[in-house]
Amino acid sequence: MKQFGLNLWGEENFVIEGDTVNVNYASRPSLLQLTKEIREKGYKGPLLLRFPHLIKKQIDTLFTTFAKAKKTFDYKGSFHAVFPLKVNQFPNFVQSLIEVSHEYHYGLEAGSKAELIIAMTKTPLGAPITVNGFKDKEMIALCFIAAKMGHNITVTIEGIGELKTIIEVNEEFNGSSKSPVVPKIGIRIRMHSAGIGIWAKSGGYSSKFGLTSTELLEAYELMTRYDLLSHFWMIHFHIGSQMGDIAPLKKALREAGNIYAELKRRGADALGAINIGGGLAVEYSQHTHTQERNYSLEEFANDVVFLMQEIAKSKGVEEPDIFTESGRYIAASHSVLVAPVLELFSSEYNAKCLRLKKENPPLIQELYDLYTTIERKHAREYLHDALDHMESLLTLFDLGYIDLEDRSNTEILVNLIIKKAIALLKDEGTDELKKLQDRIQERYLVNFSAFQSLPDFWGLSQHFPIMPLNHLSTKPTNPASIWDITCDSDGEISFNREIPLYLHDIDLTKEEYFIGFFLTGAYQEVLGMKHNLFTHPTEVVINFDENGDYHIEHLIEAQNLMDVLEDLDYDTGLIDKALKHKIEESTKITAEEKRELLGKIYLYLSENSYLKTIQALSEKEQGVHT
Ligand SMILES: *Cc1c(COP(=O)(O)O)cnc(C)c1O
């Protein structure tokens, strides 16, 4: 894999320069340099780096692309966008999002009361807030409060029941008022055209959300009767996330556009906007044959604008304002998870680790000779001999004829022979070689939790781009599988010959090696789970000043052990007492040792669950062999 597919998924956000992958912006710091700087301050374990300039880039691109499409078609409606908070509600993210988007009146979308509170607090007055999802009376009351604060808020009703609640709340809030303040009303329509992919349930007839045509007519009548029609101004749909193909969107646009036009012709005069939800896809693939998206943002914007215009024209109604709620597209690229490699498992298959005896079993002696004399012209033959000898030696071990040291020597020698043979025969690329290569793949133990930091890998097999932060001028040769530090076998990104990942052969006793996981900014953080009680990694925001210099800011350290337990509602006071008591009451240790142990345990409790490097340990082990 050249450049780890950076040209496919990277959007020129990062660039390989010499040995390292650098931020392709301002002073272009390398990710390695940033990582080292943060680690030097004492923050070990995985790190989440946030780049607000990348959030800004996505927002700029979204708005300018739609502006261009509007210009091309001379479209009369305006364009607006909101960020759906469910995609990332973390304060460092939301704060950056608001800071970089001032000029666009970019707003927020909320799907729950807690998200609505964030939206009411963070959205600049005048920028749109949209509220989707199921709502009770209290949530609708919050929307009225937001409107009374002066917010430009649209509450989207997902069912007739919600409209009835709006009528009720309106009565309570505005009653006899001469100048009632009412949030704008949107209606989510239940599409006939189905949603797409694994999120198909978001759209389509079986969707949890939206009104059918019959319900729409009923809602129309209710709004007329209760004087709310003048507040009804938006049609909303959302067909699902990570839309790889543009076709379903076009279908949905036609359907929604015609519903918009029909309602306007019926007399919904205030109706003036169509909200196309999210779904804009992100390219996560590192390989050309597995690309996930078949359209560009230009095509997407042109389709939306063109189709809306066409329908408005043919039905003789105004062109609607267009709203999008793209979340993944805005947030995915802004963060990079950096995690240190703790161990390469096959480092034990090293010639240094051989424990050859004065007298070795003859087959082992032969393996050793194969290893030392293998050359290209007979590499394949030697390889077959080695595999054959290994089978015999393992049988001899099972039968009790050779000992554990012999078995260890067998494993090491056969591995070394396979590696040598593959190197010698590498331009042949036969199937047998590929299979062997899979067999000697290197397992990289990486200090992170896939459940916490890449939950969609675990839950949906979503691929995320992976690459090391340095050695990038050297061709990586180890077929790699990545193991996280949870005790769960699902926490493994195994080597896949269809989308192979090769990493470098590193001596971790001599240097550190970091893996970057990219495009982790959408959905992963809040979906991340505390499996094995690993928590959200330590995070930082990387801002650049006018001179192009970077600043590492807003560091939030991963939760410490006690905080994690407290989150599970353990009484940490009791835990604290129990630990202290058990040490103090122990009859196995002296008073001085007790004091020492207490000190240690308090230190550990103030730290997070991720592993400290285990390098020192392997160094000692190496000492034994050499
Ligand atoms: C989830 C969601 C979005 C965001 O979808 P993306 O695919 O992340 O752009 C937008 N609108 C609604 C109603 C949603 O539920």
Side-chain angles (χ1 to χ4, degrees):
M1 182 171 20
K2 261 201 195 135
Q3 306 231 318
F4 296 86
L6 191 57
N7 57 326
L8 300 177
W9 58 265
E11 302 277 348
E12 297 180 359
N13 294 337
F14 299 95
V15 58
I16 294 175
E17 287 185 342
D19 212 28
T20 57
V21 52
N22 296 14
V23 182
N24 190 19
Y25 188 73
S27 55
R28 298 148 86 100
S30 72
L31 293 177
L32 186 68
Q33 178 184 339
L34 294 170
T35 302
K36 288 200 159 155
E37 213 166 295
I38 299 161
R39 287 170 63 84
E40 271 159 23
K41 295 181 189 161
Y43 302 99
K44 308 289 178 183
L47 294 173
L48 189 84
L49 313 178
R50 297 190 197 278
F51 296 99
H53 75 278
L54 293 178
I55 309 176
K56 178 157 177 21
K57 178 183 170 194
Q58 295 306 95
I59 297 174
D60 285 345
T61 311
L62 183 70
F63 277 86
T64 49
T65 308
F66 267 92
K68 212 166 129 207
K70 261 165 42 87
K71 202 163 165 211
T72 307
F73 295 99
D74 189 24
Y75 190 81
K76 302 290 184 308
S78 53
F79 173 76
H80 307 270
V82 291
F83 180 80
L85 280 166
K86 76 160 190 279
V87 179
N88 196 328
Q89 308 93 336
F90 276 69
N92 270 342
F93 170 80
V94 174
Q95 191 54 38
S96 302
L97 179 89
I98 297 295
E99 282 167 13
V100 303
S101 64
H102 268 316
E103 59 191 290
Y104 296 111
H105 280 285
Y106 189 55
L108 294 172
E109 182 267 359
S112 67
K113 286 178 212 171
E115 287 182 355
L116 181 52
I117 295 296
I118 299 176
M120 286 165 70
T121 323
K122 295 286 180 186
T123 312
L125 276 190
I129 298 178
T130 60
V131 186
N132 301 317
F134 295 116
K135 300 162 212 71
D136 62 3
K137 193 170 164 187
E138 210 172 275
M139 186 150 166
I140 286 171
L142 279 171
C143 296
F144 273 76
I145 294 173
K148 291 198 182 230
M149 285 173 175
H151 272 306
N152 169 10
I153 183 169
T154 303
V155 47
T156 305
I157 60 172
E158 311 275 358
I160 284 287
E162 288 181 4
L163 180 57
K164 291 180 178 157
T165 315
I166 289 179
I167 293 167
E168 205 181 311
V169 175
N170 186 33
E171 196 60 37
E172 283 172 28
F173 273 70
N174 290 313
S176 52
S177 166
K178 289 257 179 325
S179 49
V181 180
V182 182
K184 296 179 185 173
I185 297 174
I187 294 185
R188 179 153 174 180
I189 51 176
R190 185 166 300 215
M191 309 292 273
H192 179 66
S193 42
I196 28 91
I198 18 195
W199 290 272
K201 284 207 176 98
S202 301
Y205 236 61
S206 57
S207 163
K208 288 207 295 203
F209 300 110
L211 275 69
T212 63
S213 318
T214 316
E215 288 168 324
L216 260 177
L217 292 172
E218 194 186 332
Y220 185 87
E221 281 152 20
L222 272 174
M223 287 189 293
T224 313
R225 187 166 346 133
Y226 288 93
D227 257 354
L228 287 171
L229 200 58
S230 59
H231 300 280
F232 169 48
W233 94 296
M234 181 186 274
I235 288 291
H236 177 230
F237 71 87
H238 170 65
I239 56 175
S241 206
Q242 188 63 356
M243 180 181 72
D245 179 12
I246 194 90
L249 176 77
K250 293 193 187 194
K251 262 184 132 168
L253 284 166
R254 286 206 182 86
E255 196 177 343
N258 277 296
I259 288 175
Y260 160 82
E262 283 297 313
L263 287 169
K264 270 201 91 68
R265 294 217 298 201
R266 214 178 169 79
D269 293 332
L271 181 59
I274 190 144
N275 181 341
I276 62 172
L280 197 48
V282 163
E283 186 52 71
Y284 291 95
S285 180
Q286 294 186 271
H287 301 269
T288 36
H289 64 284
T290 50
Q291 285 182 91
E292 302 197 16
R293 194 179 65 181
N294 77 355
Y295 57 91
S296 64
L297 181 61
E298 283 75 19
E299 181 180 350
F300 178 89
N302 285 341
D303 280 352
V304 173
V305 169
F306 172 76
L307 285 170
M308 283 307 119
Q309 183 168 60
E310 193 185 51
I311 293 166
K313 245 187 217 152
S314 75
K315 296 235 161 162
V317 297
E318 280 161 57
E319 291 167 357
D321 291 350
I322 295 164
F323 278 71
T324 82
E325 297 176 332
S326 274
R328 184 187 299 274
Y329 174 82
I330 298 296
S333 62
H334 96 281
S335 74
V336 181
L337 178 80
V338 173
V341 174
L342 294 168
E343 199 175 341
L344 271 64
F345 280 96
S346 78
S347 57
E348 70 238 42
Y349 297 136
N350 187 311
K352 279 195 292 195
C353 303
L354 283 169
R355 296 158 191 264
L356 293 171
K357 304 166 183 166
K358 277 211 183 82
E359 284 291 324
N360 292 296
L363 279 177
I364 292 201
Q365 197 52 53
E366 272 188 46
L367 276 181
Y368 188 75
D369 295 341
L370 291 172
Y371 166 57
T372 48
T373 59
I374 188 166
E375 278 173 42
R376 180 170 168 129
K377 61 178 190 289
H378 48 233
R380 187 173 302 279
E381 185 189 333
Y382 277 28
L383 177 64
H384 292 154
D385 287 351
L387 292 173
D388 191 49
H389 288 359
M390 181 178 70
E391 289 307 320
S392 309
L393 282 159
L394 290 177
T395 309
L396 287 175
F397 179 78
D398 290 346
L399 296 173
Y401 290 112
I402 63 170
D403 65 16
L404 196 55
E405 288 191 342
D406 297 327
R407 183 173 153 151
S408 156
N409 291 333
T410 306
E411 287 170 1
I412 295 171
L413 285 168
V414 172
N415 248 280
L416 291 172
I417 292 166
I418 294 176
K419 267 195 186 163
K420 265 196 177 175
I422 287 174
L424 291 167
L425 299 168
K426 70 171 176 287
D427 28 314
E428 287 194 13
T430 60
D431 213 44
E432 182 193 16
L433 277 180
K434 285 189 182 138
K435 278 194 188 130
L436 275 170
Q437 202 156 22
D438 291 0
R439 192 158 138 186
I440 59 148
Q441 54 181 262
E442 181 61 84
R443 290 165 298 170
Y444 289 75
L445 180 68
V446 182
N447 201 0
F448 86 117
S449 156
F451 300 88
Q452 170 59 234
S453 294
L454 305 175
D456 280 347
F457 164 73
W458 173 72
L460 301 165
S461 304
Q462 175 66 58
H463 175 84
F464 291 89
I466 299 173
M467 72 186 284
L469 300 194
N470 66 343
H471 284 284
L472 293 170
S473 49
T474 317
K475 190 174 176 201
T477 48
N478 286 346
S481 61
I482 289 184
W483 286 23
D484 76 1
I485 54 168
T486 66
C487 324
D488 192 314
S489 52
D490 280 345
E492 180 192 351
I493 302 171
S494 36
F495 182 74
N496 178 347
R497 250 209 282 163
E498 298 305 310
I499 47 166
L501 173 70
Y502 293 94
L503 293 174
H504 299 95
D505 203 12
I506 299 288
D507 183 350
L508 289 172
T509 61
K510 300 214 166 74
E511 62 176 316
E512 292 182 299
Y513 190 57
F514 297 96
I515 307 287
F517 298 87
F518 293 79
L519 302 178
T520 58
Y523 295 102
Q524 303 319 297
E525 294 189 55
V526 95
L527 285 176
M529 56 206 119
K530 294 185 186 159
H531 195 27
N532 264 158
L533 300 187
F534 290 110
T535 59
H536 192 270
T538 296
E539 63 165 84
V540 296
V541 178
I542 315 285
N543 279 314
F544 293 88
D545 62 23
E546 309 81 57
N547 303 325
D549 296 328
Y550 66 84
H551 300 274
I552 299 172
E553 297 174 338
H554 308 299
L555 185 141
I556 300 177
E557 197 177 357
Q559 276 187 310
N560 70 30
L561 301 186
M562 276 307 210
D563 288 344
V564 177
L565 295 176
E566 193 163 4
D567 270 3
L568 294 186
D569 284 334
Y570 275 97
D571 183 334
T572 47
L574 278 182
I575 289 183
D576 194 90
K577 256 194 213 145
L579 290 170
K580 213 165 164 186
H581 183 77
K582 284 188 171 146
I583 288 177
E584 269 162 10
E585 297 300 300
S586 172
T587 53
K588 295 184 187 295
I589 41 180
T590 65
E592 190 171 339
E593 258 184 294
K594 284 176 187 174
R595 266 198 306 281
E596 228 171 78
L597 292 185
L598 275 173
K600 280 208 167 107
I601 209 162
Y602 281 119
L603 175 67
Y604 300 159
L605 288 175
S606 71
E607 293 172 341
N608 66 55
S609 287
Y610 291 101
L611 302 186
K612 299 275 151 42
T613 177
I614 51 177
Q615 203 166 304
L617 190 79
S618 49
E619 225 157 333
K620 239 190 268 161
E621 277 175 2
Q622 292 275 325
V624 176
H625 302 304
T626 48

